[in-house]
Amino acid sequence: MKIEAMKKILVTVFVVLFSSSMGWAQHCFGVSIDGAVTWQFDNLSFTENGMGVGPAIGAVYQFQNNKLLLQTGLSASESFMRVKVDSMHIAEPSVDSEGFDFTYRGDLYDRMDKTMITELSIPLMLGAKSDHLYVLGGVRLVVPVFALSKQEALLTTKGDYGDRYYEWLEDMPQHGFFTAQPVQTQDKLAMPINMNLCAELGGSWNMGKPTPKKAAKIFQIGAFVEYSLLKGVKGTENPLIEVDATDIMQVKMNHVYSSLPKHGVVLHGLSVGVRMKVLLAMGKNSNSQHRRDIDGQCGISIMRSSYR
C-alpha cells in the first residue's frame, strides 16, 4: 500500500513540475557519495541502543524549475550495526561420561550482536535552491538486498552436581568447564522494506553554464538526517540462545531483533551524515538569458527616451 502511494506521489510531482511553468528549467544527472552514523532505538529492557556507520553511492536525477527542485535516483548502501545485549545465564540438565547427573551452568556476557546490511533505496525529495544554498525534504523507500548477523560473546561454564560435590566444578577444560571462552554464531537476517523520512541542507555551486553542445557541472555538498518510519526487523519465535545439553559450548545465539515474537519489538533508526553530489546540467538556460537581455534592452531604451 505504501509503495503504491509513493508511486502516485511520484507521478503527480512529475506532472506538476513539467507542466507548471514555461520558464527556466534544467535537467541534471549525476552521482552521489555519502556516509552516515546511525542509531537504533528499541523498546527492549536488556539491550543498549544500537549504533553503526555506513557508506552509500548512488545515481541522481535533479529537475530544477526556476527555484523549485526535485531530486530522485537510486542508491546502494552498506551499513554495519552493533547492539550490546545484557548478560544471560544458562542452566541445562546433562549426564557426564560416567553416567552421573549434573547441571551445566553458564554465564554468557560481553555479548555483541552485529549486522551487515546491503540495501537499495529510491529517494523522492522536493525543495528549493537559491544562488548557493539548497534545502530538500521527502521520503526514501528502502529495500534490503542482503543482511548477515554475527553474534559474539564470552562464555564461562560450570558443573553443578548438587549434593555429590560441595562446590561447582569450574575452570576444568578437560571436563568441558571453561572460563571466558569466546563463542560466536553467524546467520542471515530477514529485513523488511522500510520507509524513511528525509531532510537535507547544503551548498550548491555551478561550474560553468550549460550549452547545447556542452553540459555544465554542478557540485553539491550537504548534511542530511533520516528517520525510519517502520519497524526494522521481522521477528520470529526463535529463542535468544539455543543450547546443546550434551555440549554447552555449542551454544547458538540468534540475533536479538530476530529472535523475538513478531510484534514484540519496536525499532526505529536515526541517521545523520554528509552527502556529496556531482551533477551534469543538461538543460539550456538560454530562455532565462534571453529574458535578461530583453529587460536590459528595454531599460536602455527607456533611459534614452527620458533624456530626449
Side-chain angles (χ1 to χ4, degrees):
M1 183 65 67
K2 293 182 180 293
I3 299 177
E4 293 297 326
M6 188 173 181
K7 289 181 180 178
K8 292 180 181 179
I9 294 173
L10 182 61
V11 171
T12 302
V13 168
F14 271 100
V15 171
V16 171
L17 287 176
F18 280 97
S19 62
S20 61
S21 174
M22 297 300 294
W24 186 89
Q26 189 177 69
H27 301 277
C28 301
F29 300 88
V31 296
S32 66
I33 299 176
D34 61 70
V37 178
T38 301
W39 293 267
Q40 288 182 335
F41 305 98
D42 60 58
N43 62 337
L44 303 176
S45 61
F46 52 87
T47 64
E48 294 184 6
N49 290 327
M51 183 177 179
V53 297
I57 186 171
V60 181
Y61 167 73
Q62 173 180 289
F63 174 75
Q64 181 175 353
N65 192 332
N66 295 321
K67 293 186 177 181
L68 183 64
L69 285 181
L70 166 78
Q71 280 193 5
T72 185
L74 179 65
S75 297
S77 62
E78 192 89 8
S79 60
F80 304 89
M81 302 297 302
R82 298 162 61 97
V83 180
K84 187 174 181 180
V85 183
D86 290 349
S87 300
M88 304 183 67
H89 304 287
I90 306 168
E92 287 289 330
S94 187
V95 179
D96 65 15
S97 58
E98 297 182 2
F100 293 106
D101 295 331
F102 74 101
T103 300
Y104 247 136
R105 298 192 180 274
D107 295 319
L108 196 67
Y109 56 98
D110 286 351
R111 174 170 169 174
M112 189 73 67
D113 288 12
K114 305 176 182 180
T115 56
M116 181 186 70
I117 306 173
T118 302
E119 297 171 322
L120 295 177
S121 64
I122 302 175
L124 177 59
M125 308 283 281
L126 290 175
K129 178 182 178 298
S130 62
D131 290 340
H132 296 296
L133 292 176
Y134 72 90
V135 60
L136 293 166
V139 295
R140 179 185 298 274
L141 179 66
V142 182
V143 180
V145 178
F146 177 78
L148 184 67
S149 69
K150 184 178 182 181
Q151 295 70 248
E152 299 176 340
L154 295 177
L155 179 62
T156 294
T157 57
K158 303 175 182 180
D160 180 5
Y161 279 81
D163 295 335
R164 183 177 179 80
Y165 300 110
Y166 292 107
E167 296 180 350
W168 290 355
L169 303 185
E170 57 183 306
D171 198 19
M172 302 171 63
Q174 67 275 19
H175 294 290
F177 306 129
F178 298 88
T179 300
Q181 182 74 11
V183 291
Q184 68 175 29
T185 303
Q186 185 169 301
D187 204 354
K188 291 183 179 180
L189 186 64
M191 300 293 292
I193 295 176
N194 212 337
M195 184 78 71
N196 293 355
L197 190 64
C198 313
E200 185 176 339
L201 175 67
S204 179
W205 293 269
N206 295 327
M207 316 298 287
K209 296 181 179 179
T211 66
K213 295 183 179 180
K214 184 179 180 181
K217 293 181 180 179
I218 299 175
F219 176 73
Q220 294 180 348
I221 182 170
F224 68 90
V225 58
E226 297 192 8
Y227 182 75
S228 62
L229 301 176
L230 307 181
K231 188 177 73 171
V233 292
K234 292 179 179 179
T236 66
E237 297 294 340
N238 294 329
L240 282 172
I241 55 175
E242 299 179 47
V243 180
D244 185 349
T246 61
D247 186 359
I248 198 171
M249 294 306 299
Q250 299 302 318
V251 59
K252 178 184 178 183
M253 297 173 286
N254 297 303
H255 193 279
V256 61
Y257 291 150
S258 67
S259 59
L260 300 172
K262 292 184 178 180
H263 303 289
V265 60
V266 177
L267 176 67
H268 295 285
L270 176 67
S271 299
V272 178
V274 176
R275 179 172 291 128
M276 293 184 294
K277 288 171 277 191
V278 177
L279 307 174
L280 295 180
M282 310 302 293
K284 302 178 182 179
N285 59 359
S286 56
N287 291 339
S288 177
Q289 183 65 45
H290 181 61
R291 288 197 303 271
R292 289 196 295 268
D293 293 342
I294 293 176
D295 293 340
Q297 293 170 4
C298 292
I300 294 173
S301 299
I302 293 173
M303 291 177 62
R304 287 178 178 175
S305 62
S306 65
Y307 283 97
R308 290 178 182 176

